[in-house]
Amino acid sequence: MPADVVLGLSYGDEGKGKVVDYLAKNYDYVVRFHGGNNAGHTLVLNGHRIAVHALPSGILHPHINNVIGNGCVVDPLQLAKEIEEHGGPTALKGRLFISHAAHLITPTSINVDRATGATVGTTGRGIGPTYAAKMRRTGLRMEDIINGDIEVWDTFREVCGIIEPFICNTQNLLHTAHASGANILLEGAQGTLLDIDHGTYPFVTSSNCTIGGALTGTGLNHKAIRKVIGVAKAYTTRVGEGPFPTEQNNDIGDKLRKVGGEYGTTTGRNRRCGWLNYSDLRKACELNGVDEVVVTKLDVLDQFKMIPVGYPNGLERIQYSEWNGWNRPTKGLRDKTLLPQDALKYIQHISTITRAPVTHISTSPEREDMIVL
Ligand code: IMP
């Protein structure tokens, strides 16, 4: 039985959380494989907004086994808080599993990140220093809680007992689940252009957001992967510093931010806003071997007369091709026959760029507001 992977094709905040929450009904496991609580996945169910940072986005489905894989870094205090918010240890027992090899984010890592992360514009959650300690082979891991490590218990005394029962060998768990025919969804955080190797270094996060991270961060091998689902927002946003060739640092960007509610889930920062970039989107699909694409936030473009898509012109400048807006509300649409023709043309153009079919279009933050093509 297959494992499918959901990955962001841009700078993060593509709407992966909603996509995973929507798709979760078809799966038995939802697995995070990298990153930590720098991520913020917003889920909306019946008008109720829930943000998860450390927990996988399958957490709202009682039938889902949620796994935090070995490639993740975890702030025990934040995780314990989210466990409490989702009903406490008793409610999650048997459906939350944390890798013994996931690394612990310590208060020192957070302090170092806050003191040094400004040039990159990090989220200040201690992500970079924790991965640095992992690579230096001096990191603290979840298994140190089980082993009664004095430093770990001293640092996280009040929450070790909450987390300990969830720690296990998730590589074995996932191999067994896979062998027994379970359906597994691997959930990426951040996005391709923030990947430590393939992103806009040094303005990146400290983990592999691309397809390789899904394997190293879980222990599943490539034969387990059935398909890669890429998530692309209908326009582009970026939080923090770094290049953004199609950024609209003007009235258009302000309008995208306002209509799209583009404020960071984790830090509340204004997201920088702009148009799609042909070469970045194409590259992201090539890097990840994307099989299918989900386009999110189409409805945000309802109020724009023209929708440009950026192309490099060879002189390190961007030129734009323009697509007609549709000037009709698509918010909340679920029926593909009601999609305006000009919106369909824009979507078809996106699938030309991605060289993979667009299978779903998200038309609002609500779980079920999705057009299946
Ligand atoms: P860090 O991951 O906190 O080290 O931040 C490194 C860069 O990645 C910064 O530009 C952050 O704004 C960005 N970043 C990290 N996590 C996310 C995310 O979930 N969405 C969007 N940007 C992110």
Side-chain angles (χ1 to χ4, degrees), residues 11-13 38-40 120-124 127 190 194 204-205 239-241 269:
Y11 302 102
D13 304 317
N38 48 348
V120 172
T122 69
T123 59
I127 306 299
Q190 289 87 45
L194 291 179
V204 292
T205 191
V239 198
E241 303 305 318
R269 287 181 287 180

Side-chain angles (χ1 to χ4, degrees), residues 10-14 16 32 35-41 53 113 117 119-129 131 189-191 193-195 200 202-207 209 237-242 264-267 269 271-272:
S10 182
Y11 302 102
D13 304 317
E14 297 92 351
K16 298 176 294 295
R32 283 204 53 188
N37 58 319
N38 48 348
H41 293 161
H53 297 278
D113 191 20
T119 44
V120 172
T122 69
T123 59
R125 298 298 190 268
I127 306 299
Y131 278 113
Q190 289 87 45
L193 299 170
L194 291 179
D195 182 281
T200 53
F203 302 101
V204 292
T205 191
S206 300
S207 61
C209 317
T237 60
R238 174 165 204 162
V239 198
E241 303 305 318
T265 314
T266 300
T267 57
R269 287 181 287 180
R271 293 178 185 149
R272 300 157 63 192

Side-chain angles (χ1 to χ4, degrees), residues 79-100:
L79 177 64
K81 184 167 163 266
E82 286 186 35
I83 289 174
E84 291 302 342
E85 284 167 7
H86 289 272
T90 313
L92 293 184
K93 188 73 196 129
R95 62 186 200 95
L96 175 64
F97 306 89
I98 305 166
S99 169
H100 71 289

Side-chain angles (χ1 to χ4, degrees), residues 10 47 50 52 108 113 127 175 182 202 214 250 261 291 360 362-363 367 372:
S10 182
I50 302 131
V52 290
T108 308
D113 191 20
I127 306 299
H175 281 192
N250 51 32
D291 297 293
H360 295 77
S362 170
T363 54
R367 179 190 282 169
V372 182

Side-chain angles (χ1 to χ4, degrees), residues 211-254:
I211 185 66
L215 305 183
T216 56
T218 58
L220 287 170
N221 68 52
H222 67 286
K223 290 183 193 151
I225 307 297
R226 177 176 66 170
K227 67 179 173 186
V228 178
I229 303 163
V231 182
K233 191 146 61 179
Y235 52 97
T236 304
T237 60
R238 174 165 204 162
V239 198
E241 303 305 318
F244 182 176
T246 54
E247 180 172 15
Q248 299 297 302
N249 199 0
N250 51 32
D251 290 355
I252 294 171
D254 292 345

Side-chain angles (χ1 to χ4, degrees), residues 13-51:
D13 304 317
E14 297 92 351
K16 298 176 294 295
K18 158 162 178 179
V19 172
V20 170
D21 179 51
Y22 170 83
L23 295 175
K25 53 182 173 284
N26 305 319
Y27 294 88
D28 306 301
Y29 284 78
V30 171
V31 186
R32 283 204 53 188
F33 58 83
H34 75 108
N37 58 319
N38 48 348
H41 293 161
T42 308
L43 316 171
V44 180
L45 188 54
N46 303 325
H48 193 54
R49 185 179 178 280
I50 302 131

